[in-house]
Every structure is written in structure tokens, then in C-alpha cells.
Amino acid sequence: MRGLKFAVPALAAMLVLPACQEEEEARSLEPPALVGADTERGKLALRLHGCTTCHVAPGVVGGNQRIGPTLVGFTSRRYVAGSLPNTPENAIHWIVSPQAITPDSAMPDMGVDYETARDIVAYLRSQTETEWGSGS
Amino acid sequence: MRKVFGAIAVFLVLSALGVVAFLYSGMYPIGATTQHSGIIYRAVDTLVRQAVMESAKDISPPGNLEDPDLRRAGLILYRGWCLQCHGAPGVAPSPFATGMNPPPPPLVQTAREWQAKEVWWVIDNGIAMAGMPAFRFKLTDEEMWAITAFVASLPELSPAAYAAMVKEAEANPGFAARRGKGGGS
């Protein structure tokens, strides 16, 4: 009985501490392009700019839109739209002007300004869910 | 027995009062910015899909929807009456449309998943409480079939092929010409 009293908190600490550490690390690794971005605004913009009519997006209620690739697990994708290395700058650039990068892409220029695109990318990168479950 | 009916009556009255209180409370998040919950979303989606399938079941297309002339005429009409809301391959909808809730979806996925007669029925009748207008009295049946024929061809149209088709159709608009540019103009 005695032992259990200590075991439970110790076990909890073991589970929680590494998670905190990881989060701390993630925050200190925040790319300069995204410092100060507003993830909540980015999440709302995913709907109000029509992104979710083509994409399934993490944390956004919707159907099974398959016109564009799912944005769940976007962080771990290596290339943006199959051509640009997946850096925050490139992702922002793509969202602002996909047609300048891939003329005739099925993703039209949606009239998103730089700041909003930055918020969207910050939101997508803050989501650790992947297509296969949670984790990153 | 009396007691049971009494209890049921009290329950019904209380429920009705609860509904009225909710309506007047002003608590419902009515802004288009609010996201529906997953349950409501799926319920509405099922409701619309089932109702459209049931309503359209006895309709049949009057002719060959693969006729290129019909599709070209449909394209012209589509650009006048639908493009602002639904966009087209490589073409974004007007900025106002993406702020709607539900937002008008690109129709390429619909064209793959729905039958043509269902698309026709939705053009004719619209979808209540969703922002999809009924085009009855605005377009003739024939014009709605032309648009349906064009929508059915969307899965085969790349953005580049769409742009080429626009050029070609503008030079040769067929019967859509007398309609001009549709609602917006």
C-alpha cells in the first residue's frame, strides 16, 4: 500500500516529464518565420478561405474532401506539393501563390495574404496528429 | 393509467417550455464562423444526400450528356451562374463564397460521387438552409441539363484543359449564347 503511494506519482512524472521536455524543445525550435503567428486565427482561416472544401484538415470538422491531399500530418511531409522542401517559408509561399509555383495546379490562388498564410502554416505545424494516429 | 398520462403531459409541457426558452435565450452560436460539431455535420450531410437521392430517383436525362456541344453550352452557363460560388478547375470561387457556412464545394468530387440526375435536381430545387439557390424560373430545363452535362465532365478536366475549353466555347457558345452571362450581369 505504502509503495503504491509513491509509485503512482512517480509513474505519472515519468509519463509527463518527457512530454513537457519535448514540448519545450519544440517551442525553442520554432522557426523564425513563424514567431508571433496566431494558430487559432490560422485554424479559422482554413475554413473561411475555403481550404477545407478541398482538403481534410486537422481539428476541422468536415467530410472526406479528396480534391487536395489531406493536411493531417502535413508537418512530417518532406515536400510541399511534391516540389518544394517543406520549410515554413515554402509552405507560406505555396498557400499565397500556388499558381506561381505550379502553373495549372488544381489548387487555385485563393487570395490569402502573407500574414494569414503564416498563421495557417503555424497552425498546421502545431498539430501532431498524423494520418496513422497521434504522435509526430 | 391516469398517473402515467399525467406524467407524460407534464414532460411534454416542460420540453416545449425548454425549447422556447432556448430559442429566446440567444445562446445559439449563429455566426457562420462557428464550426458545426462532427455529429451535426454528419447528420446534415446524410440528410441532404438521402433527400437528394430520393427526390431525383424518377428523373432521367433527356439525351446524351456526353455530347460536346451540350457540354460547351453548359460551360458558358456554368461560368455565368455557378462559378462565383463553386469555382472551376484551377479557378477559385469569388472571395465571398468561401465565407459561407456551409461553403460551396468544388463540384469535381460531387461529379464523381453523384448521379447526373441528382445534380440536375439540385440545380432545379436548390438546398434549403445551405445557401444553394434553386434555379427554377431562372434557367430552362434544357439549360440545366447542359450545366449538368458540363458538371459531369469535370473529373476529366485538368485546369489547362478547362482553360482551353473556355476559349473554344466562347468562340462557339451554341444555344447558351442567348442567355448571355447569366445572373451576375
Side-chain angles (χ1 to χ4, degrees):
Chain A
M1 214 49 220
R2 257 274 172 83
L4 211 70
K5 244 186 201 159
F6 289 102
V8 169
L11 208 74
M14 265 163 67
L15 289 174
V16 170
L17 277 180
C20 290
Q21 249 164 21
E22 257 169 44
E23 209 170 280
E24 208 47 48
E25 251 166 52
R27 208 168 297 138
S28 61
L29 287 179
E30 187 169 19
L34 298 180
V35 171
D38 180 344
T39 52
E40 272 310 300
R41 188 170 176 275
K43 181 182 181 186
L44 183 61
L46 277 174
R47 284 196 294 126
L48 296 189
H49 267 302
C51 316
T52 51
T53 61
C54 288
H55 294 283
V56 170
V60 181
V61 170
N64 185 31
Q65 308 82 263
R66 292 294 166 191
I67 298 170
T70 175
L71 300 179
V72 173
F74 177 67
T75 324
S76 56
R77 210 152 294 163
R78 302 300 180 237
Y79 293 93
V80 180
S83 60
L84 304 170
N86 190 359
T87 62
E89 288 84 355
N90 282 338
I92 294 170
H93 185 188
W94 171 263
I95 292 168
V96 170
S97 49
Q99 295 285 323
I101 296 165
T102 310
D104 293 331
S105 167
M107 174 158 159
D109 290 347
M110 297 299 288
V112 183
D113 59 37
Y114 182 89
E115 207 199 348
T116 306
R118 196 174 74 122
D119 291 345
I120 291 174
V121 171
Y123 173 72
L124 291 176
R125 291 178 72 101
S126 73
Q127 300 300 296
T128 50
E129 191 189 347
T130 70
E131 282 170 81
W132 301 279
S134 56
S136 58
Chain B
M1 210 54 200
R2 284 279 272 297
K3 264 193 188 150
V4 173
F5 281 127
I8 292 177
V10 168
F11 174 76
L12 289 179
V13 169
L14 285 181
S15 309
L17 282 178
V19 168
V20 171
F22 176 71
L23 291 180
Y24 279 87
S25 72
M27 299 289 280
Y28 186 79
I30 198 68
T33 46
T34 309
Q35 169 167 243
H36 289 311
S37 69
I39 293 177
I40 301 269
Y41 181 92
R42 276 189 291 277
V44 172
D45 207 46
T46 307
L47 179 82
V48 170
R49 187 72 193 101
Q50 294 300 322
V52 169
M53 285 198 301
E54 178 62 25
S55 308
K57 71 177 192 295
D58 296 329
I59 298 171
S60 51
N64 176 13
L65 296 185
E66 283 169 24
D67 173 9
D69 285 339
L70 191 66
R71 287 185 167 176
R72 258 198 307 277
L75 167 76
I76 302 262
L77 292 163
Y78 181 92
R79 284 169 60 78
W81 296 88
C82 319
L83 184 68
Q84 312 93 304
C85 282
H86 290 286
V91 182
S94 295
F96 75 82
T98 55
M100 295 174 72
N101 186 1
L107 297 178
V108 57
Q109 188 161 338
T110 310
R112 290 181 64 140
E113 293 168 1
W114 290 29
Q115 295 188 43
K117 62 187 181 185
E118 295 161 355
V119 172
W120 187 89
W121 187 89
V122 163
I123 302 173
D124 189 31
N125 291 274
I127 301 174
M129 292 178 288
M132 169 63 196
F135 287 90
R136 193 178 304 173
F137 300 131
K138 313 293 171 18
L139 295 169
T140 64
D141 285 5
E142 184 191 23
E143 288 167 333
M144 292 193 273
W145 279 115
I147 296 175
T148 304
F150 169 70
V151 169
S153 75
L154 283 172
E156 298 148 33
L157 275 186
S158 67
Y162 170 78
M165 191 177 172
V166 169
K167 256 203 197 130
E168 193 190 310
E170 274 167 356
N172 179 17
F175 72 78
R178 61 174 191 267
R179 268 291 169 178
K181 289 180 78 180
S185 55

